[in-house]
Amino acid sequence: MEAGNLRERFEGELIGPEDAPYEEARAIFNSMIDRRPALIAQCETATDVAAALEHAREHELEVAIRSGGHSVTGAGLSEGGMVIDMRRMSAVNVDPAARTATVQGGATWSDFDRATQPHGLTSTGGRVSTTGVAGLTLGGGSGWLERRYGLACDNLESVTLVTADGRTVTASESDNAELFWGLHGGGSNFGVATELVFRLQPLPAATFALLLWPAEAGPEVGRRYRELFEAGAPDELGGAFAYITGPPEEFVPEHLQNELVSGVVLVYAGGEQEARDAIAPILELEPAGLQPTEMPYSEIQCAIDDPPGYRNYWSAEHLASLPDEALEIFCRRAEDMVVPSPSQHILFPWGGALGAQGARWPIPHRDASYVAHPLGLWEDPADDEQARAWARGLCEDLRPFSTGAVYLNFESASEDRLEAGFGRENLDRLAAVKAEYDPENVFHLHHNIKPLQPA
Ligand SMILES: Cc1cc2nc3c(=O)[nH]c(=O)nc-3n(C[C@H](O)[C@H](O)[C@H](O)COP(=O)(O)OP(=O)(O)OC[C@H]3O[C@@H](n4cnc5c(N)ncnc54)[C@H](O)[C@@H]3O)c2cc1C
């Protein structure tokens, strides 16, 4: 596809299949997705975004929005269409007095954390540094600090979008409030976010640990982990109970390296002693691995960064509670993982600040006690079947304990789970917002909410 006269009014870079940077520019996190866009518009400004959208409309090109490239379904790439690539717009400006961060639509959490950390301020990001701020937040944004500060979207002050027809719209509590509501979870359906403003929270200290045991110890570790939360763990305590492949790192004993191991990821919004006190029953089990250590939150965010270029399949199930039977299924299903691999068989504790804002925003199901999240990453196509079957199997087996809700950012197959993600009433309300801001459904590649049709 010729970029034609778009070149004359475009400040960023336009990349087509004939250009040298094309292969690199179309590479995304999930190597299973191999789509060849006609044009990748690496935007420098909001004016570029509007020009690229106009070009796509004139040439009837399907539009994909790309930031961190971490959509497991490959929503940031269109086959034969136009990619609005936001990565050049990655500035983050912090106002420490107002405790806000103004973030461009292509920034990653690494950009965000490196800008906020020097001020001792933060917000709930995800769990790795390489995901896009916009993609993660507009879908909700579940992260290590969520039990303390809610989902990432709960901390939004405003979002500025370029809509499909090239208008610039800012949404906040006071302006375009219905759009602002929709952006808290249904966010990639209405336009290209060029700027997001976040409220920041003080975080003077943070503590991290990656505690490891042989896989056989998993059920006992899981029971102790559950007891912590059932006994009312502080909201500062986040992290996960997990099975992973023991990484070949210095802090991992040799007999656990490259083997299936059970583990606890500890992220505590506070100092080391408080963190140790909060997980004392777990430490009694004498874990190997990285012991609780205070470190900058921006480093914690990189601690389990997954490598790009693997094949990916993910799913998730919100659990109302974790009776013995559910914990037993969770532990047993870990044996079906592809090992060694960077896959993670995770159980996140929910609760704390997560529930507080549930009724206000389109992601209502915040009452789950835990989220089981099989996150499959593997290398060899010969393992495709095993990896998918493991993720699906875990979720199917846990369904009797599920609240019925899902968090769509954790799903590889979202089309038929929109109602489980938003609830019927919210989905209808989102469809009305969609009809107002994107009636032609230009933005349809990610958790697509269909515009409400006139009666
Ligand atoms: C390794 C890994 C770890 C993850 N960890 C977490 C986690 O801890 N918590 C969590 O909640 N999710 C997590 N996710 C899921 C992730 O949040 C979603 O896949 C999210 O959509 C990725 O956003 P992105 O910008 O990186 O991806 P992209 O593929 O670039 O974008 C995905 C979609 O987001 C939308 N989008 C992106 N930028 C914009 C924009 N500027 N304006 C409007 N829409 C936009 C578009 O629809 C786009 O297609 C993780 C994913 C991976 C691969």
Side-chain angles (χ1 to χ4, degrees):
M1 155 64 53
E2 257 306 304
N5 64 3
L6 178 58
R7 261 183 222 289
E8 291 154 25
R9 57 202 165 104
F10 197 81
E11 277 185 52
E13 195 173 356
L14 295 168
I15 301 171
E18 66 290 351
D19 297 317
Y22 181 73
E23 290 305 323
E24 206 182 326
R26 77 182 181 95
I28 57 168
F29 188 82
N30 183 358
S31 68
M32 284 175 101
I33 312 277
D34 182 22
R35 293 190 196 131
R36 300 182 63 80
L39 196 58
I40 300 173
Q42 297 196 324
C43 301
E44 204 80 63
T45 63
T47 311
D48 275 358
V49 174
L53 287 171
E54 188 183 359
H55 185 84
R57 195 167 53 249
E58 282 168 8
H59 295 268
E60 296 183 354
L61 294 174
E62 182 181 56
V63 171
I65 313 170
R66 185 234 162 99
S67 293
H70 276 50
S71 158
V72 175
T73 58
L77 273 186
S78 156
E79 178 64 42
M82 155 85 85
V83 173
I84 310 280
D85 184 339
M86 298 296 288
R87 283 175 290 177
R88 287 170 175 238
M89 297 177 67
S90 61
V92 179
N93 288 305
V94 177
D95 180 339
R99 286 196 181 161
T100 57
T102 301
V103 183
Q104 283 192 306
T108 62
W109 285 103
S110 166
D111 299 319
F112 186 102
D113 294 326
R114 279 187 288 119
T116 56
Q117 178 79 49
H119 304 284
L121 296 169
T122 191
S123 193
T124 304
R127 295 181 180 82
V128 301
S129 68
T130 47
T131 38
V133 173
L136 184 133
T137 305
L138 299 176
S142 165
W144 296 131
L145 300 178
E146 63 197 2
R147 286 175 37 83
R148 179 74 183 84
Y149 297 125
L151 294 178
C153 69
D154 295 345
N155 295 284
L156 277 173
E157 294 248 301
S158 68
V159 181
T160 300
L161 296 173
V162 177
T163 55
D165 55 6
R167 276 180 303 146
T168 297
V169 180
T170 296
S172 66
E173 297 268 9
S174 51
D175 293 320
N176 300 302
E178 193 63 3
L179 174 60
F180 190 57
W181 173 82
L183 288 165
H184 287 68
S188 54
N189 275 276
F190 311 117
V192 181
T194 52
E195 189 176 282
L196 301 93
V197 180
F198 287 84
R199 258 184 320 281
L200 298 177
Q201 312 286 350
L203 188 69
T207 303
F208 178 78
L210 181 57
L211 308 172
L212 302 172
W213 297 262
E216 308 79 73
E220 174 59 14
V221 177
R223 276 191 292 277
R224 295 254 180 140
Y225 196 70
R226 177 181 64 185
E227 280 160 20
L228 285 184
F229 291 94
E230 286 181 352
D235 293 354
E236 284 76 8
L237 180 60
F241 167 54
Y243 286 82
I244 57 171
T245 299
E249 301 280 353
E250 206 187 316
F251 64 85
V252 181
E254 229 166 89
H255 71 281
L256 297 182
Q257 292 186 9
N258 295 314
E259 299 290 333
L260 181 70
V261 296
S262 54
V264 166
V265 182
L266 163 80
V267 179
Y268 192 87
E272 182 183 323
Q273 193 51 52
E274 283 169 71
R276 284 181 177 272
D277 293 346
I279 59 154
I282 299 273
L283 294 176
E284 278 169 14
L285 296 175
E286 298 183 350
L290 190 65
Q291 304 302 310
T293 311
E294 267 181 51
M295 57 173 86
Y297 178 66
S298 55
E299 274 178 37
I300 293 177
Q301 277 286 73
C302 307
I304 63 159
D305 273 0
D306 288 312
Y310 280 84
R311 304 171 79 76
N312 275 251
Y313 188 87
W314 299 20
S315 194
E317 209 64 49
H318 285 209
L319 305 182
S321 64
L322 190 68
D324 285 346
E325 199 187 334
L327 182 60
E328 192 272 322
I329 290 168
F330 182 83
C331 295
R332 181 164 37 81
R333 273 290 186 178
E335 292 161 16
D336 303 330
M337 273 167 80
V338 175
V339 173
S341 80
S343 293
Q344 299 170 15
H345 186 79
I346 299 187
L347 191 75
F348 293 128
W350 265 28
L354 272 158
Q357 301 211 39
R360 278 188 74 193
W361 306 118
I363 302 180
H365 309 294
R366 313 266 192 109
D367 53 348
S369 302
Y370 298 92
V371 177
H373 184 25
L375 195 156
L377 291 92
W378 67 101
E379 213 163 359
D380 187 347
D383 291 328
D384 285 3
E385 214 29 63
Q386 183 189 344
R388 283 204 201 97
W390 157 68
R392 287 190 191 130
L394 174 70
C395 288
E396 270 159 29
D397 288 359
L398 287 178
R399 211 145 288 155
F401 311 97
S402 165
T403 63
V406 293
Y407 170 52
L408 295 169
N409 269 1
F410 286 168
E411 279 289 324
S412 274
S414 68
E415 310 76 42
D416 55 349
R417 303 208 79 187
L418 287 179
E419 192 168 337
F422 298 119
R424 184 71 254 164
E425 212 178 298
N426 284 339
L427 189 53
D428 291 343
R429 189 171 159 192
L430 286 164
V433 182
K434 177 80 171 173
E436 187 172 348
Y437 291 93
D438 183 22
E440 286 167 24
N441 204 12
V442 170
F443 304 108
H444 61 255
L445 286 175
H446 195 220
H447 309 158
N448 187 211
I449 296 156
K450 304 274 184 329
L452 185 71
Q453 297 303 318

